[in-house]
Amino acid sequence: MPTYTAPVKDTRFVLDHVIGMARYANTPGFENATPDLVAAVLEEGGKFAAEVLQPLNQVGDREGCTRHDDGTVTTPTGFPGMYAKFVEGGWGTLTAPTEWGGQGLPWVVGTAISEYMLSANMAFSMIGGLTEGCIASIEHFGSDEQKAMYLPKLVTGEWCGTMNLTEAHAGTDLGMLRTKAEPQADGSYAITGQKIFISGGDQDMSANIVHLVLAKVPGDPDNVKGISLFVVPKFIVQPDGSLGERNKVSVGSIEHKMGLNGSPTCVMNYDGAKGWLVGEQTKGMRGMFIMMNAARLGVGLQGLAQGEVAYQNAVSYAKDRRQGRAIVRAAGVTDVADPIIVHPDVRRMLMDMRAFNEGNRAFALWTALQVDLSRHGATAEEKQAAEDLLALLTPVVKGYITDVGLQVTVTAQQVYGGHGYVKEWGMEQFVRDARIAQIYEGTNGVQAMDLVGRKLPAEGGRAVRLFFERVGQTIADAKADPKQVALAEALEKALGHLQAATMWLVQNAMAKPDNAGAGAVAYMNLMGVVALGWMWLLSAKGAHEVLGNGAEDRPFAEAKLVTARYFAERMLPEAATYRRRIEAGSEALMALSVDQF
Amino acid sequence: MPTYTAPVKDTRFVLDHVIGMARYANTPGFENATPDLVAAVLEEGGKFAAEVLQPLNQVGDREGCTRHDDGTVTTPTGFPGMYAKFVEGGWGTLTAPTEWGGQGLPWVVGTAISEYMLSANMAFSMIGGLTEGCIASIEHFGSDEQKAMYLPKLVTGEWCGTMNLTEAHAGTDLGMLRTKAEPQADGSYAITGQKIFISGGDQDMSANIVHLVLAKVPGDPDNVKGISLFVVPKFIVQPDGSLGERNKVSVGSIEHKMGLNGSPTCVMNYDGAKGWLVGEQTKGMRGMFIMMNAARLGVGLQGLAQGEVAYQNAVSYAKDRRQGRAIVRAAGVTDVADPIIVHPDVRRMLMDMRAFNEGNRAFALWTALQVDLSRHGATAEEKQAAEDLLALLTPVVKGYITDVGLQVTVTAQQVYGGHGYVKEWGMEQFVRDARIAQIYEGTNGVQAMDLVGRKLPAEGGRAVRLFFERVGQTIADAKADPKQVALAEALEKALGHLQAATMWLVQNAMAKPDNAGAGAVAYMNLMGVVALGWMWLLSAKGAHEVLGNGAEDRPFAEAKLVTARYFAERMLPEAATYRRRIEAGSEALMALSVDQF
């Protein structure tokens, strides 16, 4: 059975030495996040994930969820009890606004903890995983009454939130959705229609479920500009806060999926359910985007989280499993066979995973810091810069980290040989669970289109220029240090490819938009590998700091330097290939007629 | 539900215009393989696969196999009936020696048909899939009596064969195996021990099962040089050919796996079972290698086969599913949304898959032709050349095609968006089934080590020099043709990287073998991408021939040229990255101590 230990030491290294959290001590929201408090939260969160959530991960996969005839859903054995402990521990309240009962900790701390929870039990974490986004939407666009009615219980986790966008014929293309919202005399709306792929659409863990639903009011435009956002609770909330009648929303069926079996993916039937408008009519996409952007970062984290737990188990297996002999054996070894960790190709797999996981962790936490700075930055400039970088890199965090995440789980499974393919060993579940992260919250192709078509050209390319400037500055600083120069030069080369590819898109995608679509995924990967290279350069700088201090863990810091070099030697060269793919343009790609396929 | 149509047109294009089968009409074994006969066999085989095997592919996945208390196994509903039709149609006899009742057709034709069967139902095909290798081992090393006893019924398919190598503690490292073979007075051996991961270890499809088992005779060396090969039938065969008593071999359990559920993966208990030595005592690995090499080519084909069926369904979905609008719409289109095949990133996915599948098909069939030529080549030189190339490229066919195959199934699943993750749609099964091909018959890492450590240096690098010469000749020829020159130059560059990386290994891996292990997988990928580039250059040449003839299908030939260009622009640039990975050497890769992981 797989095991899990939260990588607290590495998280702290990233916070302290890569993104330098101490610099932001005066930023609102960071005052209480003292190093000691953060250390304690990480320790406790890691323990909770490993001891409470992880032991039921395989159980959830095996049992799955059950839909009953009355349209309710039961989660796997132990899940409701686990959720009660989650609420009791206040784990959902970490970053929630203090005004509504949250702890108001920095987003970056919440992200660190989310990684642990997602590693330990991704399916469980998904069931209530959209509550955070639901809180954000209501906080931004809800009326005062709605805030008072829903936020306190969503913050504690007594209630969970969901996100209802997709319909069978309307996935990426939400303009085609058909769910209707008819105004009622009492100011509410009657919601009728069917939504699919709703995570946690029903469950037996929280007392109420707050659905945020996209629907159209009859008469509004029949496209994306006619969509409004509604709050539709499972149980109607009474003026005194108690739960009243059951709303006319139920689960028509649950999907049988490749993985993530512990999380019920529901077909939701709204049959004249009572809903209330959130924000302005026909401006529903704005509220949904708030939710979606938070969710995209969370999904990116899932790629890292599955990669991390898979890696940890692959390391244990590689230390334990004995096959073959080392090329050069240590003196005095007489065993018939050595642990497979001695073999270079097994090392390659472990180093690949390590380089991606640690790089992804730094990247995810750096991005989370931008969330904090975009809200609470010291100056308007700092806020704007963080908002720009966040907008630019959100699709990269989602798309690149989840693509790499699948790759890491596949590699970890490969370390196990035949045992990796057998369910009992648990490695194949990580692959199946990780796979969904490339698909939901907008497929990775959609992320890439968002990056290239929307984020890149926004404000005349302001965000991407800032990104180049920041990465360039780190390179320039590092080149002044003989110990960092090799790494800096490798990143400089990769950044050069990204800049050239960006220029190529600017020059070639305006007149011929197919060129943007044709190169979008390659561009996302190119920006991903440069972002990770940047994180590794910052990590190397951090490791030199640690070694300079002399006080901290030398082998840990030395491993960082080795892994940074490995990433530079093995992964950064991919940048050239991505650039060539982009510059190939769309000609061959679009040349075949539909009939030729 | 997924569908499947055998790609007969493409197979024929490869046979006629890429590998030029007509040139070998005088080669023994090819006399009867007239173009008309081959066309008929492909048509019929394709129909059989699509109509008989494919409809039960999802059923097999859903139901899986059942082990009974008496150690026997039942396959999924319909599988025994399907197998009866397979035997009746003579599909197992295609390439089997005429001497034992086979049709003696070229291996390359058998390979084409195997692809179809594996696309239609990989699990079914695996159950009896090792029979071919079993026949080859007995044919090479068995006594006349053994040949007469086993071959005729293995050839018809009345009996199936299996391959018993792995034990729980001895996978890649067979030297550690513990299964014992004790000589008996009657000349037989009593086989005792446990084998794991035995595909088709028991089933209810064939009247008998012929197990080939690796075991050690007490007193022989306790390493890989002490291993002998034994034939152990499920039912003892009587002198008159009838089946006698049940042998003491039974299935202890079957594995619950990630996929390939229709094929029982068995733990085999040999409890003093009666077995007979095949070939010389302690020379068992020779017989097993014959079987293993055939099996490796077959597994490579599985990567192609799953990629092909996944691609076909992704194409249908992309033509059918409507989301969003084309950037430029055809005149007069008024639909709300266009089929997603109009979007460049969907095209990218389809073109990626197409370029890999068609390239892999040409590569697999070219390699199969080397099997024929190594046996029946006109001269000793031709035989030796084919044998050298076959030995060199077998690990590449197995490793590269299965790695690419998984990637293609993942891409095809991605085209379906959320529906790709739902079991009902069938796309996720292709991913789960394809995954095993990277693991069994020697993990892809083991293939890469075989390539770099054994195949490359053999006979002073004779095989790889021949490969360079052949690819170089195609490039030189193509450069003389203005229509082919761009493609030829792209391949020339990639070949240059492969040659440089080979030289680097020659110079750096002798003194420091870790450098070979560290670069092995990158080298396998590098050789794979060059091999596919070569196939695409040959395909482009073939397409020009077809267009020159004027008679054949123009859109088909034009699609070949477009796809060849796409491969050159998008995939060949990877060669540079692989080379850099190899030349990075093993320093960073091996630098961490075990405790640092």
Side-chain angles (χ1 to χ4, degrees):
Chain A
M1 212 178 86
T3 58
Y4 174 67
T5 310
V8 174
K9 192 195 273 188
D10 197 54
T11 306
R12 291 188 60 185
F13 174 80
V14 173
L15 297 181
D16 295 343
H17 299 287
V18 181
I19 64 172
M21 222 177 108
R23 270 181 287 164
Y24 305 99
N26 296 323
T27 301
F30 283 69
E31 317 89 340
N32 301 326
T34 60
D36 284 354
L37 177 87
V38 171
V41 170
L42 294 177
E43 282 298 339
E44 282 308 304
K47 253 177 67 178
F48 180 78
E51 291 172 11
V52 179
L53 305 190
Q54 199 272 340
L56 289 176
N57 190 41
Q58 274 191 299
V59 174
D61 182 60
R62 210 163 44 226
E63 287 187 15
C65 300
T66 313
R67 176 193 171 272
H68 305 285
D69 289 343
D70 64 351
T72 61
V73 170
T74 304
T75 57
T77 304
F79 274 42
M82 195 156 57
Y83 189 71
K85 287 184 192 156
F86 176 89
V87 171
E88 195 188 308
W91 292 111
T93 71
L94 291 180
T95 61
T98 47
E99 193 183 349
W100 304 109
Q103 301 183 52
L105 281 170
W107 189 269
V108 67
V109 176
T111 297
I113 298 290
S114 287
E115 184 207 315
Y116 303 165
M117 309 266 175
L118 287 166
S119 278
N121 199 326
M122 176 167 157
F124 169 79
S125 302
M126 262 312 281
I127 305 177
L130 293 160
T131 306
E132 203 166 45
C134 185
I135 292 171
S137 285
I138 294 176
E139 204 194 350
H140 269 77
F141 293 108
S143 64
D144 289 343
E145 196 194 337
Q146 286 169 345
K147 289 180 195 173
M149 183 175 282
Y150 296 109
L151 291 183
K153 300 221 164 159
L154 285 169
V155 165
T156 60
E158 275 175 87
W159 301 350
C160 285
T162 74
M163 180 171 172
N164 289 238
L165 289 77
T166 307
E167 300 179 10
H169 58 287
T172 300
D173 191 353
L174 287 170
M176 298 202 289
L177 66 79
R178 290 184 196 140
T179 298
K180 260 187 329 196
E182 287 171 303
Q184 305 296 300
D186 64 356
S188 73
Y189 290 77
I191 313 287
T192 305
Q194 191 179 67
K195 296 286 180 180
I196 66 168
F197 297 152
I198 310 307
S199 294
D202 194 54
Q203 29 81 1
D204 51 358
M205 301 185 333
S206 67
N208 201 4
I209 302 175
V210 179
H211 304 292
L212 286 186
V213 183
L214 290 184
K216 283 176 186 163
V217 177
D220 282 342
D222 195 18
N223 56 43
V224 80
K225 290 175 185 148
I227 297 176
S228 304
L229 181 65
F230 299 88
V231 57
V232 185
K234 177 177 173 184
F235 292 101
I236 309 284
V237 184
Q238 302 298 99
D240 67 353
S242 67
L243 297 182
E245 61 172 324
R246 180 79 163 78
N247 211 340
K248 286 179 182 146
V249 48
S250 63
V251 173
S253 61
I254 56 178
E255 306 292 351
H256 300 281
K257 308 188 297 293
M258 182 183 196
L260 211 68
N261 294 330
S263 167
T265 301
C266 305
V267 173
M268 303 301 294
N269 293 326
Y270 291 89
D271 190 21
K274 240 178 175 17
W276 289 268
L277 186 66
V278 178
E280 286 177 59
Q281 190 171 327
T282 74
K283 304 283 190 227
M285 291 302 289
R286 295 195 325 186
M288 200 46 91
F289 267 117
I290 285 200
M291 186 155 187
M292 228 149 35
N293 282 327
R296 284 176 180 182
L297 294 175
V299 172
L301 214 51
Q302 295 176 355
L304 160 62
Q306 293 304 293
E308 172 65 29
V309 65
Y311 165 74
Q312 288 185 12
N313 285 281
V315 167
S316 308
Y317 189 80
K319 288 180 179 180
D320 186 56
R321 172 79 173 172
R322 288 171 178 268
Q323 294 284 284
R325 285 154 165 263
I327 295 167
V328 182
R329 304 192 98 190
V333 174
T334 56
D335 305 288
V336 178
D338 289 313
I340 60 172
I341 196 170
V342 303
H343 303 309
D345 188 59
V346 173
R347 280 293 177 116
R348 175 199 52 91
M349 293 192 271
L350 299 181
M351 290 300 295
D352 277 0
M353 293 190 270
R354 190 180 175 92
F356 278 130
N357 286 341
E358 295 181 13
N360 282 338
R361 178 171 301 115
F363 185 31
L365 292 174
W366 176 89
T367 309
L369 178 67
Q370 308 313 309
V371 175
D372 290 313
L373 297 179
S374 70
R375 294 177 186 172
H376 308 297
T379 62
E381 288 71 31
E382 191 178 38
K383 281 188 195 183
Q384 187 63 57
E387 198 177 307
D388 284 354
L389 291 171
L390 178 62
L392 180 74
L393 291 165
T394 294
V396 183
V397 166
K398 196 284 184 181
Y400 182 76
I401 297 186
T402 62
D403 280 355
V404 164
L406 180 78
Q407 201 178 314
V408 171
T409 59
V410 167
T411 303
Q413 181 186 24
Q414 193 74 10
V415 171
Y416 278 67
H419 297 108
Y421 200 65
V422 174
K423 281 182 178 284
E424 184 189 348
W425 291 77
M427 298 305 287
E428 57 87 49
Q429 184 189 342
F430 300 134
V431 177
R432 289 185 291 105
D433 287 357
R435 181 69 184 91
I436 187 58
Q438 300 173 289
I439 298 172
Y440 59 17
E441 297 306 335
T443 63
N444 288 356
V446 168
Q447 303 299 323
M449 286 303 300
D450 177 50
L451 172 65
V452 167
R454 221 179 323 211
K455 303 302 176 57
L456 210 52
E459 306 293 335
R462 191 173 68 195
V464 76
R465 275 183 282 123
L466 179 60
F467 178 70
F468 293 160
E469 195 185 306
R470 293 276 178 97
V471 179
Q473 190 57 53
T474 308
I475 292 170
D477 293 350
K479 280 172 80 175
D481 175 359
K483 291 198 298 290
Q484 297 183 58
V485 71
L487 208 56
E489 284 175 357
L491 180 58
E492 192 170 35
K493 212 176 251 182
L495 178 64
H497 290 306
L498 177 62
Q499 287 171 320
T502 307
M503 194 53 73
W504 190 92
L505 284 175
V506 169
Q507 288 167 348
N508 294 281
M510 296 295 216
K512 200 174 168 191
D514 278 353
N515 281 330
V521 160
Y523 190 84
M524 180 180 80
N525 287 328
L526 177 49
M527 193 169 269
V529 81
V530 168
L532 256 64
W534 184 27
M535 293 299 129
W536 273 115
L537 186 54
L538 290 169
S539 297
K541 184 167 167 270
H544 285 301
E545 276 170 29
V546 170
L547 289 172
N549 294 344
E552 290 179 68
D553 190 347
R554 281 193 79 83
F556 177 86
E558 281 163 356
K560 278 284 171 200
L561 293 176
V562 165
T563 314
R565 178 182 160 191
Y566 185 87
F567 188 87
E569 289 176 349
R570 294 252 171 174
M571 281 70 170
L572 283 179
E574 289 172 8
T577 300
Y578 295 134
R579 174 180 170 187
R580 289 193 58 184
R581 282 192 190 141
I582 295 160
E583 293 180 357
S586 61
E587 215 174 278
L589 186 139
M590 296 300 284
L592 297 191
S593 70
V594 169
D595 294 340
Q596 278 175 301
F597 281 96
Chain B
M1 211 178 89
T3 59
Y4 174 68
T5 309
V8 174
K9 193 196 273 189
D10 197 52
T11 306
R12 292 188 58 187
F13 174 80
V14 173
L15 297 181
D16 295 344
H17 299 288
V18 181
I19 64 173
M21 220 178 110
R23 271 181 285 163
Y24 305 98
N26 295 325
T27 300
F30 283 69
E31 318 89 340
N32 301 326
T34 61
D36 284 353
L37 177 87
V38 171
V41 170
L42 294 177
E43 282 298 338
E44 282 307 305
K47 255 177 66 179
F48 179 78
E51 292 172 11
V52 179
L53 305 191
Q54 199 273 339
L56 290 176
N57 189 41
Q58 274 190 299
V59 173
D61 182 60
R62 211 164 42 229
E63 288 187 14
C65 299
T66 313
R67 176 193 170 271
H68 304 285
D69 290 342
D70 64 352
T72 62
V73 170
T74 304
T75 58
T77 306
F79 273 41
M82 197 156 57
Y83 188 72
K85 287 183 191 156
F86 177 88
V87 171
E88 196 188 306
W91 292 112
T93 70
L94 291 179
T95 61
T98 47
E99 192 183 350
W100 303 108
Q103 300 182 53
L105 281 170
W107 189 267
V108 67
V109 176
T111 297
I113 298 289
S114 289
E115 182 207 318
Y116 303 164
M117 310 268 176
L118 287 166
S119 279
N121 199 325
M122 177 167 154
F124 169 79
S125 302
M126 262 312 282
I127 305 178
L130 292 160
T131 307
E132 204 166 43
C134 184
I135 292 171
S137 284
I138 295 176
E139 206 194 349
H140 269 76
F141 292 108
S143 66
D144 289 342
E145 196 193 339
Q146 286 169 343
K147 290 181 195 175
M149 183 174 284
Y150 297 109
L151 291 182
K153 300 223 164 157
L154 284 169
V155 165
T156 60
E158 275 174 89
W159 300 351
C160 286
T162 74
M163 180 169 170
N164 288 238
L165 290 76
T166 307
E167 300 179 10
H169 58 286
T172 300
D173 190 353
L174 288 170
M176 297 202 289
L177 67 78
R178 292 187 195 137
T179 298
K180 261 189 327 197
E182 287 171 302
Q184 305 297 301
D186 64 357
S188 73
Y189 290 76
I191 313 287
T192 304
Q194 191 179 65
K195 296 286 179 178
I196 67 168
F197 298 153
I198 309 307
S199 293
D202 194 52
Q203 30 82 359
D204 51 359
M205 301 186 333
S206 67
N208 200 4
I209 302 175
V210 180
H211 304 293
L212 287 186
V213 183
L214 291 184
K216 284 177 185 161
V217 176
D220 283 341
D222 195 18
N223 56 42
V224 80
K225 290 176 184 149
I227 298 176
S228 304
L229 181 66
F230 298 89
V231 57
V232 186
K234 177 178 174 183
F235 292 101
I236 308 286
V237 185
Q238 303 296 99
D240 67 354
S242 66
L243 297 182
E245 62 173 323
R246 180 80 162 76
N247 211 341
K248 287 178 182 147
V249 47
S250 64
V251 173
S253 62
I254 56 179
E255 307 291 351
H256 299 281
K257 308 188 298 292
M258 181 183 196
L260 211 69
N261 294 330
S263 168
T265 301
C266 306
V267 173
M268 304 300 296
N269 293 326
Y270 291 89
D271 190 19
K274 241 180 174 17
W276 289 269
L277 187 67
V278 179
E280 285 177 58
Q281 190 171 329
T282 74
K283 304 282 188 229
M285 291 305 289
R286 294 195 327 187
M288 201 45 88
F289 267 117
I290 286 200
M291 188 153 185
M292 228 149 36
N293 281 328
R296 284 177 178 182
L297 294 176
V299 172
L301 214 52
Q302 296 176 355
L304 160 63
Q306 292 305 292
E308 171 66 28
V309 65
Y311 165 74
Q312 288 186 11
N313 285 281
V315 166
S316 307
Y317 189 80
K319 289 180 178 180
D320 187 54
R321 171 80 173 170
R322 287 169 178 270
Q323 292 285 281
R325 284 154 164 262
I327 296 169
V328 182
R329 303 193 98 189
V333 174
T334 56
D335 305 289
V336 179
D338 290 313
I340 60 173
I341 196 169
V342 303
H343 303 310
D345 188 59
V346 173
R347 280 294 176 114
R348 173 196 56 87
M349 294 192 270
L350 299 180
M351 290 300 295
D352 278 359
M353 291 190 271
R354 190 179 174 91
F356 278 128
N357 286 341
E358 295 181 13
N360 282 338
R361 178 171 301 114
F363 184 32
L365 291 174
W366 177 88
T367 309
L369 178 67
Q370 308 313 308
V371 175
D372 290 313
L373 296 179
S374 69
R375 293 177 186 173
H376 308 299
T379 61
E381 287 72 28
E382 191 176 39
K383 281 188 195 183
Q384 186 63 57
E387 200 176 305
D388 284 354
L389 291 171
L390 178 62
L392 179 74
L393 292 164
T394 294
V396 183
V397 166
K398 196 284 185 181
Y400 181 76
I401 297 185
T402 61
D403 280 354
V404 163
L406 180 77
Q407 199 178 317
V408 170
T409 59
V410 168
T411 303
Q413 181 187 23
Q414 193 74 11
V415 171
Y416 277 67
H419 297 108
Y421 201 65
V422 173
K423 282 182 176 283
E424 185 189 347
W425 291 78
M427 298 305 286
E428 56 88 50
Q429 184 188 343
F430 300 134
V431 177
R432 289 185 290 104
D433 287 357
R435 182 69 185 91
I436 188 59
Q438 300 172 289
I439 299 172
Y440 60 17
E441 297 305 336
T443 63
N444 288 356
V446 169
Q447 303 299 323
M449 286 303 302
D450 177 50
L451 172 65
V452 168
R454 220 178 325 212
K455 301 304 176 55
L456 212 53
E459 306 293 336
R462 189 173 70 194
V464 77
R465 275 182 281 123
L466 179 60
F467 178 70
F468 293 160
E469 193 185 307
R470 293 276 179 98
V471 179
Q473 190 57 54
T474 308
I475 292 171
D477 293 349
K479 281 173 81 174
D481 175 358
K483 292 197 299 288
Q484 296 183 59
V485 72
L487 208 56
E489 284 174 358
L491 180 59
E492 192 170 35
K493 212 176 254 183
L495 178 64
H497 289 308
L498 177 62
Q499 287 170 321
T502 308
M503 193 54 72
W504 190 93
L505 284 175
V506 169
Q507 288 166 348
N508 294 282
M510 295 296 217
K512 200 173 167 193
D514 279 352
N515 281 330
V521 160
Y523 190 84
M524 180 180 79
N525 287 329
L526 178 48
M527 194 170 266
V529 82
V530 168
L532 255 63
W534 183 28
M535 293 299 129
W536 272 115
L537 186 55
L538 290 168
S539 296
K541 183 166 169 270
H544 285 300
E545 276 170 28
V546 170
L547 290 172
N549 294 345
E552 290 180 68
D553 191 348
R554 282 194 78 81
F556 177 87
E558 280 163 356
K560 279 284 173 201
L561 293 176
V562 166
T563 314
R565 178 182 159 193
Y566 186 87
F567 188 87
E569 289 176 350
R570 294 251 171 177
M571 280 71 169
L572 282 180
E574 290 172 7
T577 300
Y578 296 134
R579 175 181 168 187
R580 288 193 58 185
R581 283 195 188 138
I582 295 160
E583 293 179 357
S586 61
E587 213 173 279
L589 186 138
M590 296 300 286
L592 297 191
S593 70
V594 169
D595 293 339
Q596 278 175 301
F597 282 96

